[in-house]
Amino acid sequence: MIRYILKRVLLLLPVLLGVSLVVFSLLYFSDGDPARNALGQNASEEAVQAQREEWGLNDPFLVQYGNYLKKLVFDFDLGDSYQSHKPVVSEIADAAPATLKLALLSIAFATILGIPFGIISAIYQYSIFDNIMMILALIGVSMPVFWLGLLMILLFSVRLGWLPSSGFEHFNQMILPSIALGAQSTAVITRMTRSNMLEVIRKDYIRTAEAKGQKRSVVITKHALGNALIPIITIIGIQFGQLLGGALMTEVIFSIPGIGRLMVNAIKSRDNPLVLGGVLFVAVAFAIVNLIIDIIYAYIDPRIKSQYT
């Protein structure tokens, strides 16, 4: 298992290299001057050129990218923000807890609702409950996060006054953004759980367990759900990774000081080091989530664990 984990960590390095190269290239060749944005439109050309020289923006592409990688690899330095002049690492460290908390609450909400709904829909296939769940799941998958978030603010904050529309310090401030961000994941998990449960409950060993007199609840939870968990856990891991990146719009709508909102402001101001740092954080978080999911596989299915040893 340790060897497998080390192998996955080493495989993460070329992934991060590729992500950094793509994002660095997009920022380098895009329009706009970070030095001009930082100094303001009224700054003199001499001051702008001096700032570009200080930041190394006049160097060729390969020289700039090489210097960035050198600082990242040897000093774990993501550079300083062009706007706040603070280290990017500290900026991300301040914003990351809010994004991680939002993603965790959203995936917990989606999992707690999605798996039971999917199981019940599979057991009572084509029933009224199943039809309602599939309609709601289709709506949830199709509904944009920003649109749902705005509707929830209008209903629960503006009209009813039940919940606040911004902030992320108290529990009542976390409810609306967590539901808005997790609604689509709930729909995806529900559909995936239903699909896999329908496939499993038709297997011979399920009929055998029922023929032996096992309780229906035991057959469903122990035999059927246990064998359907692998793809369900996979989709939960994928959804959690997407929530980390997809929290951007939710954080902007609900004024949450997280990575997404930080990156939006950085993109507007052409704060390239901060944009790069935010993207690398999301990439690392996504890779770690996938690694954790692979490790969980081993504890669910002994056949997979034998491949790790």
Side-chain angles (χ1 to χ4, degrees):
M1 180 67 75
I2 297 177
R3 184 187 304 174
Y4 173 79
I5 295 174
L6 292 176
K7 182 180 178 181
R8 288 295 301 269
V9 171
L10 291 176
L11 289 175
L12 176 61
L13 299 179
V15 172
L16 293 179
L17 180 64
V19 170
S20 65
L21 178 60
V22 171
V23 178
F24 194 93
S25 301
L26 291 174
L27 293 173
Y28 180 85
F29 292 108
S30 59
D31 295 332
D33 187 350
R36 172 66 67 180
N37 289 337
L39 296 177
Q41 298 301 320
N42 297 326
S44 63
E45 188 63 28
E46 292 78 10
V48 172
Q49 290 301 322
Q51 188 65 77
R52 288 181 59 86
E53 191 67 31
E54 179 183 347
W55 288 342
L57 298 176
N58 292 326
D59 296 332
F61 171 80
L62 292 178
V63 174
Q64 290 189 40
Y65 184 62
N67 291 334
Y68 181 80
L69 285 182
K70 183 179 178 181
K71 289 182 179 180
L72 178 61
V73 173
F74 294 103
D75 301 326
F76 193 65
D77 184 7
L78 295 172
D80 296 334
S81 170
Y82 290 163
Q83 297 296 320
S84 65
H85 306 292
K86 296 180 181 178
V88 172
V89 173
S90 65
E91 293 268 20
I92 293 176
D94 293 337
T99 298
L100 291 173
K101 187 186 298 183
L102 175 60
L104 286 170
L105 288 173
S106 300
I107 199 63
F109 166 78
T111 303
I112 291 172
L113 293 183
I115 292 180
F117 286 165
I119 293 173
I120 297 172
S121 294
I123 295 173
Y124 302 102
Q125 187 182 14
Y126 303 133
S127 63
I128 296 177
F129 180 87
D130 183 32
N131 292 330
I132 293 174
M133 284 297 103
M134 289 304 98
I135 292 173
L136 292 178
L138 181 60
I139 295 173
V141 171
S142 307
M143 189 180 301
V145 174
F146 69 90
W147 186 72
L148 177 60
L150 292 174
L151 288 181
M152 294 178 68
I153 289 175
L154 289 174
L155 177 60
F156 295 105
S157 297
V158 178
R159 283 188 173 273
L160 300 177
W162 291 353
L163 297 168
S165 61
S166 62
F168 206 68
E169 296 178 359
H170 306 289
F171 180 74
N172 62 341
Q173 295 175 324
M174 304 176 187
I175 296 175
L176 288 184
S178 299
I179 294 176
L181 184 60
Q184 195 172 78
S185 297
T186 304
V188 173
I189 294 172
T190 299
R191 291 165 65 93
M192 177 62 70
T193 303
R194 177 183 183 273
S195 175
N196 284 277
M197 286 296 294
L198 283 174
E199 181 179 351
V200 170
I201 60 178
R202 294 190 177 101
K203 298 290 186 181
D204 291 338
Y205 59 84
I206 298 296
R207 288 193 289 267
T208 302
E210 292 176 339
K212 289 182 176 180
Q214 289 276 8
K215 291 183 179 180
R216 182 68 170 171
S217 58
V218 175
V219 173
I220 294 299
T221 56
K222 183 178 179 180
H223 299 286
L225 182 60
N227 286 279
L229 269 181
I230 294 294
I232 296 173
I233 290 177
T234 301
I235 202 66
I236 290 174
I238 294 174
Q239 288 299 309
F240 181 70
Q242 291 179 353
L243 291 178
L244 287 172
L248 185 148
M249 291 303 300
T250 308
E251 291 177 359
V252 172
I253 292 171
F254 291 95
S255 300
I256 299 173
I259 295 293
R261 191 179 176 192
L262 187 71
M263 288 180 63
V264 169
N265 295 331
I267 292 171
K268 289 180 180 179
S269 60
R270 284 299 306 275
D271 196 339
N272 294 355
L274 199 52
V275 175
L276 271 167
V279 173
L280 288 177
F281 168 80
V282 174
V284 171
F286 194 89
I288 292 174
V289 168
N290 284 331
L291 177 59
I292 293 173
I293 293 299
D294 287 346
I295 295 173
I296 292 175
Y297 287 165
Y299 293 96
I300 295 177
D301 193 338
R303 294 171 298 180
I304 297 177
K305 186 175 181 179
S306 64
Q307 298 176 7
Y308 294 164
T309 56

